[in-house]
Amino acid sequence: MSKWQQAIDAIRAKTSIQPKIGLILGSGLGMLADEIEQADVIPYHEIPGFPTSTVEGHAGELVLGTLEGQPVITMKGRFHLYEGHGLDSVTFPIRVMKQLGVEIILVTNAAGGINTEFAAGDLMLITDHLNLMYRNPLIGPNDNELGARFPDMSTAYDPQLRQLAKKVAQSQGISLQEGVYAGVLGPSYETPAEIRMMRTIGADAVGMSTVPEVIVARHAGIKVVGISCISNMAAGILPQPLSHAEVMETAEKVKSIFIGLVKGLIREM
Ligand code: HPA
């Protein structure tokens, strides 16, 4: 039995919900999990093989239920490489979501703005990514049942879902930026020289998550749509230093707009 199969069996024993949409929520949006209705909540430690110990200080929970009329699954407590988790841990929940029947993953994150047309507080629809983590979660033997050895990444961020996101944003009066997300390991923020390099190679925003999850989702044939909250301008653009406090403060400010967009998108999926 695969390690995912044991996890699936444990989850199936605790819920009959068949999620269609997986939500991977970044800084500041985690509380969307609390709005899920008729929720079944499963602590990670009750799921064999599921990674535990998130930075937020609590062990973490899977939440399955209904949001905007759609069957969803989300994680309270996400794993990042900078915490010391391996790629297996970071992407395990995506494999589990696939086995539970998830067809679409909606991923959100906080990111530093590299494109100088952006401002802190903007929302950016992710059109593509640059994997500057220089590691790939698919390295190792390939399970052909799960996906192809050499999966295509040419439409990693689904064009139709991107159109839908733009339509929903427009209907809500949100001016949605668009751009390329560069994924880095962190946890130190970038130097101004690194940001200039990233701009030169085509990045519009930079953050410390998302890329491994998206690679595994695409390998499994799950469609992906991603939205970044530009929580700060990246290093060297403005005179002030970067701080996690600024990231959290901006995320808090745009929270209600961001949640409105995410919910509107889920409703239309
Ligand atoms: N750099 C990397 N990750 C981030 C940033 C940033 O400026 N802001 C939020 N996450």
Side-chain angles (χ1 to χ4, degrees):
M1 193 157 40
S2 77
K3 52 184 176 174
W4 302 296
Q5 198 52 52
Q6 288 184 40
I8 305 310
D9 291 349
I11 295 165
R12 286 251 178 269
K14 291 174 199 293
T15 180
S16 57
I17 294 161
Q18 310 222 330
K20 177 174 122 187
I21 302 166
L23 306 173
I24 310 285
L25 303 169
S27 307
L29 277 200
M31 71 301 171
L32 194 54
D34 298 324
E35 296 195 28
I36 294 175
E37 293 155 4
Q38 288 108 38
D40 287 330
V41 177
I42 310 171
Y44 295 163
H45 68 82
E46 292 181 13
I47 308 169
F50 214 91
T52 49
S53 74
T54 62
V55 265
E56 291 86 18
H58 50 75
E61 297 164 336
L62 270 190
V63 183
L64 297 95
T66 306
L67 191 61
E68 298 299 311
Q70 303 270 24
V72 301
I73 180 169
T74 194
M75 302 161 62
K76 267 182 133 175
R78 181 177 177 181
F79 306 103
H80 299 91
L81 291 171
Y82 61 72
E83 294 164 83
H85 292 290
L87 284 164
D88 275 358
S89 297
V90 172
T91 57
F92 191 92
I94 309 295
R95 304 272 199 209
V96 168
M97 288 181 187
K98 169 68 184 178
Q99 303 294 323
L100 290 172
V102 164
E103 295 164 16
I104 297 171
I105 281 179
L106 194 169
V107 57
T108 73
N109 56 46
I114 293 179
N115 185 327
T116 52
E117 306 279 301
F118 293 178
D122 281 352
L123 298 178
M124 182 192 89
L125 182 64
I126 304 176
T127 56
D128 205 345
H129 75 218
L130 286 165
N131 183 0
L132 303 185
M133 296 175 172
Y134 300 110
R135 50 185 73 183
N136 194 301
L138 303 178
I139 287 175
N142 187 57
D143 183 341
N144 292 323
E145 306 251 304
L146 286 177
R149 168 76 290 188
F150 302 108
D152 177 43
M153 292 291 288
S154 50
T155 51
Y157 298 84
D158 188 77
Q160 280 175 341
L161 289 171
R162 269 154 52 197
Q163 276 311 116
L164 189 62
K166 288 203 266 187
K167 199 190 93 187
V168 171
Q170 199 177 19
S171 74
Q172 297 184 357
I174 298 169
S175 65
L176 190 58
Q177 304 281 14
E178 284 184 73
V180 174
Y181 176 91
V184 295
L185 287 174
S188 52
Y189 289 118
E190 301 69 37
T191 63
E194 286 165 344
I195 293 303
R196 288 194 299 274
M197 174 195 74
M198 288 182 207
R199 184 180 299 121
T200 301
I201 62 174
D204 295 291
V206 56
M208 303 173 192
S209 66
T210 304
V211 166
E213 292 98 318
V214 171
I215 292 172
V216 167
R218 293 306 300 137
H219 177 248
I222 301 173
K223 290 181 182 167
V224 173
V225 60
I227 305 170
S228 297
C229 165
I230 303 300
S231 54
N232 56 284
M233 290 310 284
I237 297 176
L238 300 175
Q240 75 258 29
L242 272 59
S243 76
H244 184 60
E246 183 193 4
V247 170
M248 297 313 289
E249 211 174 287
T250 309
E252 186 62 32
K253 269 189 209 147
V254 299
K255 191 164 86 176
S256 65
I257 294 171
F258 204 172
I259 285 185
L261 176 59
V262 166
K263 282 175 151 182
L265 186 52
I266 293 171
R267 194 161 50 231
E268 299 288 325
M269 277 173 176

